[in-house]
Amino acid sequence: MPLVKISEESIRRVAEIISGGGLAAFPTETVYGLGGDAYNPAALAKIFEAKGRPRFDPLIVHIAAVEALECVADTGLLDGAARKNLAALAGRFWPGPLTLVLPKRDAVPGLATSGLPTVAVRIPAHDAARRLIMLSTGAVAAPSANPFGYLSPTRAEHVLEMLGDKAGLILDGGPTTVGLESTVLDISGGQSRILRPGGTPKEAIEAVIGPVAVGLVAGESAESVPASENGMASPGMLKSHYAPRVPLSVYGNDSPGAMPNQPGAALLFFDGASRDAWLAGQRPPVNAAAIEVLSETGDAIEAAARLFETLHRLDSSGVERIHTQLAGDKGLGAAINDRLKRAAVYPQ
Ligand code: TXA
Ligand code: MG
């Protein structure tokens, strides 16, 4: 079984595997990553292969300290304003769930960046992750350790179930704390732009550098599904992202009452009050196979930490479909809703 608890010895083993051109999975504060040496094109090719990920979807390069940034990014190519933003953002959010898109150094193979002149970089807020990066080559490319399109892993067991022996070793650090991937912010051009909402809320970024635009990551937007107009698209035909195997539908945060009392279905409420209001509005019996809540008190941080874990569990529980209430759109709610809408077969 390639699952090992965190220790200095197991961290060294993971670092050796990665330095030797192999792959290993490890925890970060956001989700588990499938890591390979960011400077080694053969290792990068193995990552795309193991995930079944299209090569047009670039990888995030993880470093252990801000001093290593110039090894992978050429910040001298940024204009003055962007350099100031970089210093402010790195000072405030690194280590942490913020990935910055910056001009790339030649040392980073084009395979890591899908041929883009930019590289996405972050410093994870996880001691074991930073230590293994330091002990390997100092730059570890690591996408989420799941097959492309499927739910992200927030536990070592998720990685084992989904990737099996494709990860040479899985470093088990227990459940991740943030539970959602990092926010991807492009500061390489004129206007800073969020390409993927995530663990660092837009409001927190704007408090540091002022207004940012919100756009889409090229790879992810190509794979995500636009809302079908009549809701009748065939689930099997859809290419979605962050998705469970069973169909998932989403409902507005303020309209949980619309969630159907359907046999075989799991109902996932954002907060306890919405569940209670839904139950009060039902004529018994309650037919739903499972009723769950992401956060009793409606705390988006708690809900984010439990989102993928709850979806993994419901997905393997034998229910036929999942109906989910969206979060409110503020703070981490925006990232939760981004993941749920991309996972949805019948988005609203
Ligand atoms: O929290 C995370 O970010 C996790 C952990 C393991 O660190 N990693 C992760 O990686 O989510 P991945 O590969 O699943 O997502 C990387 C995202 C994709 O949306 C990709 O399109 C975007 O980053 N990205 C990478 N390089 C880029 C670039 N040069 N320009 C624009 N977007 C980029
Ligand atoms: Mg991913």
Side-chain angles (χ1 to χ4, degrees):
M1 175 118 123
L3 218 149
V4 290
K5 295 264 179 237
I6 290 179
S7 66
E8 179 61 18
E9 197 216 321
S10 60
I11 291 174
R12 281 182 185 280
R13 275 171 67 197
V14 168
E16 262 165 41
I17 291 173
I18 291 176
S19 306
L23 305 185
F26 60 89
T28 76
E29 79 282 27
T30 59
V31 301
Y32 278 72
L34 180 66
D37 177 6
Y39 298 124
N40 181 339
L44 297 168
K46 281 184 203 165
I47 293 178
F48 284 98
E49 168 76 27
K51 276 184 63 89
R53 177 175 175 130
R55 292 200 177 187
F56 57 72
D57 193 1
L59 306 173
I60 293 172
V61 174
H62 297 68
I63 56 175
V66 76
E67 289 71 30
L69 183 59
E70 289 302 323
C71 301
V72 293
D74 188 350
T75 63
L77 294 176
L78 293 171
D79 66 27
R83 256 205 300 277
K84 249 172 91 182
N85 287 346
L86 168 61
L89 291 165
R92 170 72 183 77
F93 296 113
W94 277 358
L98 178 66
T99 293
L100 296 176
V101 175
L102 297 164
K104 163 181 124 44
R105 288 263 176 211
D106 289 344
V108 178
L111 195 49
T113 66
S114 300
L116 293 171
T118 52
V119 60
V121 188
R122 91 174 186 101
I123 304 179
H126 194 291
D127 291 346
R130 287 199 309 276
R131 177 114 184 104
L132 76 86
I133 294 165
M134 235 151 52
L135 290 173
S136 56
T137 62
V140 173
S144 48
N146 54 327
F148 184 71
Y150 194 59
L151 295 172
S152 296
T154 56
R155 285 178 178 271
E157 291 83 3
H158 296 156
V159 182
L160 187 63
E161 269 162 41
M162 294 190 292
L163 291 181
D165 57 10
K166 285 181 186 160
L169 204 66
I170 303 167
L171 196 57
D172 183 357
T176 62
T177 52
V178 176
L180 288 177
E181 295 86 346
S182 61
T183 300
V184 179
L185 177 69
D186 187 350
I187 59 169
S188 69
Q191 161 79 62
S192 297
R193 178 177 297 270
I194 290 179
L195 301 178
R196 177 179 73 181
T200 302
K202 175 174 183 255
E203 294 88 336
I205 293 169
E206 291 189 327
V208 175
I209 62 167
V212 297
V214 178
L216 282 174
V217 169
E220 294 206 339
S221 62
E223 289 302 310
S224 67
V225 184
S228 104
E229 267 157 39
N230 55 14
M232 293 304 288
S234 158
M237 301 295 289
L238 296 174
K239 276 196 208 159
S240 57
H241 213 130
Y242 306 108
R245 285 169 298 234
V246 299
L248 179 140
S249 334
V250 293
Y251 298 82
N253 179 255
D254 50 9
S255 52
M259 289 163 73
N261 183 8
Q262 186 183 23
L267 304 186
L268 180 55
F269 292 94
F270 179 69
D271 56 79
S274 298
R275 172 205 53 213
D276 295 346
W278 183 87
L279 283 170
Q282 297 306 308
R283 214 178 294 157
V286 169
N287 298 316
I291 296 180
E292 296 221 19
V293 170
L294 282 178
S295 165
E296 272 300 326
T297 60
D299 173 15
I301 296 176
E302 183 189 20
R306 298 195 54 226
L307 178 69
F308 283 128
E309 141 128 66
T310 305
L311 292 175
H312 273 286
R313 190 159 37 72
L314 292 176
D315 197 25
S316 338
S317 71
V319 299
E320 287 156 27
R321 56 183 312 124
I322 304 171
H323 297 288
T324 313
Q325 178 190 12
L326 293 170
D329 240 334
K330 284 210 191 76
L332 279 186
I336 293 173
N337 290 346
D338 170 79
R339 303 303 187 272
L340 285 173
K341 286 177 183 168
R342 288 172 191 274
V345 172
Y346 301 116
Q348 281 207 320

